């Protein structure tokens, strides 16, 4: 990497991370991300430009508003640093290419959706739908090189130039990924609704996976779905275990139940709590998609090598 260019990429990531914080706060509230200018959510005072410098301002102010001293969530600092790290990682992984631009935009969108879903359990259309469109457009310039590109030329004779054929097949790959991602989540949600009588997947997750599929293609979309399901399952089990442990200790301390009785009743309570808990699955889908575009192909080659 060119150190000067890497530093510029990192600084650009910090700036985009600052804007992403605005999107995370405003989009779920149906507010404009352009007007009005940044202001403290508590005291409503406008934030001056010198208090809006990525990372540095948060550290100088020690995470508090200059006017009302209200605590500023560390999420602002984390998003800025993570966005800059993603931009730098894309440059290190893909070099000075159009792929770096593509995956910087993809990482920017994923990070915003992850934090928005974690905080509000919403996945705004103003991020997922433009992301879907951008993924399809980028497929015309950065090859997705997935199922259609690898198998269709051997099965179907395309009466077009090789240059046109490359763009066409890449676009088909993006469409296949989008359709598979959206279709799988929609189908899983429909099955859950019929079986349990409550909504298990929102349409936000469907649009998120359509966006992921458009950027990654069919193979890495399937990788994202399965690894996200595994990660979500482990998180659910860990949540049940933590709730069960805490409630067991509380029942033994407050109600003086025996250990076996406290564990049994606490387990019943923990299972009910899990059923009522709405897990932000978009966090796992977005996180695994981010891993997929950096390491998905290597992980799949490793997995197939074990078989």
């Amino acid at each position: 990497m060119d150190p000067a260019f890497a530093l510029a990429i990192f600084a650009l990531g910090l700036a985009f991370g600052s804007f992403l914080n605005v999107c995370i706060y405003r989009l779920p509230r149906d507010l404009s991300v352009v007007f009005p200018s940044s202001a403290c959510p508590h005291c409503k005072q406008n934030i001056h430009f010198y208090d809006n410098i990525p990372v540095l301002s948060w550290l100088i102010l020690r995470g508090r508003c200059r006017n009302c001293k209200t605590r500023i969530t560390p999420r602002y600092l984390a998003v800025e640093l993570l966005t800059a790290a993603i931009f730098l990682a894309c440059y290190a992984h893909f070099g000075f290419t159009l792929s770096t631009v593509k995956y910087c935009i993809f990482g920017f969108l994923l990070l915003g959706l992850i934090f928005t879903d974690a905080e509000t359990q919403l996945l705004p259309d103003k991020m997922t739908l433009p992301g879907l469109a951008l993924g399809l457009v980028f497929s015309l310039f950065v090859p997705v090189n997935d199922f259609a590109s690898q198998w269709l030329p051997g099965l179907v004779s395309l009466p077009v130039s090789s240059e046109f054929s490359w763009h066409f097949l890449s676009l088909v790959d993006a469409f296949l990924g989008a359709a598979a991602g959206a279709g799988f989540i929609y189908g899983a949600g429909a099955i859950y609704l019929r079986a349990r009588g409550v909504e298990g997947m929102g349409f936000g997750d469907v649009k998120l996976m359509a966006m992921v599929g458009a950027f990654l293609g069919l193979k890495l979309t399937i990788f994202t779905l399965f690894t996200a399901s595994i990660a979500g399952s482990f998180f659910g089990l860990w949540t049940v275990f933590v709730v069960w442990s805490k409630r067991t200790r509380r029942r033994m301390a407050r109600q003086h139940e025996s250990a076996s009785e406290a564990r049994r009743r606490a387990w019943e309570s923990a299972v009910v709590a899990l059923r009522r808990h709405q897990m932000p699955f978009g966090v796992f889908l977005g996180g695994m998609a981010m891993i997929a575009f950096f390491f998905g192909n290597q992980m799949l080659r490793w997995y197939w090598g074990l078989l």
Side-chain angles (χ1 to χ4, degrees):
M1 291 192 299
D2 182 338
F5 195 76
L7 184 60
I9 287 283
F10 189 82
L12 185 66
L14 291 177
F16 271 86
S18 181
F19 175 68
L20 188 56
N21 275 315
V22 176
C23 297
I24 292 168
Y25 178 80
R26 295 190 182 186
L27 288 181
R29 296 168 174 82
D30 290 323
L31 301 174
S32 170
V33 298
V34 180
F35 300 105
S37 58
S38 298
C40 173
H42 186 260
C43 67
K44 310 302 180 184
Q45 289 291 317
N46 287 340
I47 298 175
H48 298 293
F49 74 93
Y50 48 79
D51 287 335
N52 216 11
I53 303 171
V55 178
L56 189 61
S57 292
W58 194 94
L59 295 174
I60 291 173
L61 294 171
R62 297 182 181 180
R64 295 189 180 274
C65 172
R66 183 182 293 275
N67 297 294
C68 66
K69 306 304 179 186
T70 300
R71 184 173 176 79
I72 303 171
T73 172
R75 185 256 292 167
Y76 286 87
L77 181 67
V79 168
E80 290 167 354
L81 288 173
L82 285 172
T83 306
I86 289 170
F87 277 36
L88 188 60
C90 288
Y91 172 53
H93 193 79
F94 300 104
F96 189 65
T97 63
L98 193 57
S99 294
T100 295
V101 178
K102 172 181 176 176
Y103 290 110
C104 279
I105 292 173
F106 187 42
F108 171 86
L109 292 169
L110 286 176
L111 193 63
L113 290 163
I114 287 169
F115 275 90
T116 303
D117 196 32
E119 290 188 4
T120 65
Q121 295 185 344
L122 294 171
L123 294 165
D125 288 350
K126 291 181 179 178
M127 296 185 78
T128 54
L129 296 182
L132 169 60
L134 283 170
L136 295 174
V137 170
F138 267 114
S139 71
L140 295 171
F141 302 97
V142 180
V144 177
N145 194 28
D146 203 349
F147 179 81
S149 300
Q150 295 174 13
W151 296 99
L152 215 59
L155 300 175
V156 179
S157 178
L158 298 174
V160 291
S161 68
S162 60
E163 185 68 19
F164 179 86
S165 181
W166 173 85
H167 294 292
F168 171 74
L169 291 173
S170 182
L171 182 62
V172 170
D173 282 326
F175 268 111
L176 285 174
F184 185 92
I185 293 295
Y186 181 82
I191 292 170
Y192 189 90
L193 180 61
R194 284 182 174 272
R196 304 292 294 274
V198 294
E199 188 177 271
M201 297 283 185
F203 275 102
D205 294 311
V206 174
K207 296 166 192 173
L208 167 61
M209 281 311 302
M211 181 191 84
V212 169
F215 271 94
L216 298 183
L218 181 61
K219 180 173 58 178
L220 292 181
T221 297
I222 295 172
F223 170 87
T224 299
L225 287 166
F226 279 96
T227 53
S229 299
I230 293 170
S233 298
F234 276 114
F235 179 80
L237 291 172
W238 177 79
T239 301
V240 170
F241 177 76
V242 170
V243 172
W244 175 57
S245 300
K246 288 183 177 179
R247 294 189 179 184
T248 297
R249 290 193 297 268
R250 187 169 60 193
R251 296 187 73 91
M252 291 175 65
R254 294 182 181 178
Q255 302 181 28
H256 305 291
E257 294 178 346
S258 65
S260 59
E261 181 67 12
R263 283 194 292 267
R264 185 181 67 81
R265 290 180 177 271
W267 177 256
E268 294 173 355
S269 178
V271 171
V272 171
L274 179 64
R275 289 175 180 172
R276 294 177 179 175
H277 175 67
Q278 292 185 337
M279 185 172 65
F281 192 47
V283 171
F284 301 99
L285 291 172
M288 291 302 106
M290 204 171 294
I291 290 175
F293 73 78
F294 281 120
F295 308 111
N297 286 316
Q298 295 93 314
M299 294 175 73
L300 285 173
R301 283 196 294 269
W302 169 82
Y303 176 75
W304 287 115
L306 296 177
L307 301 180

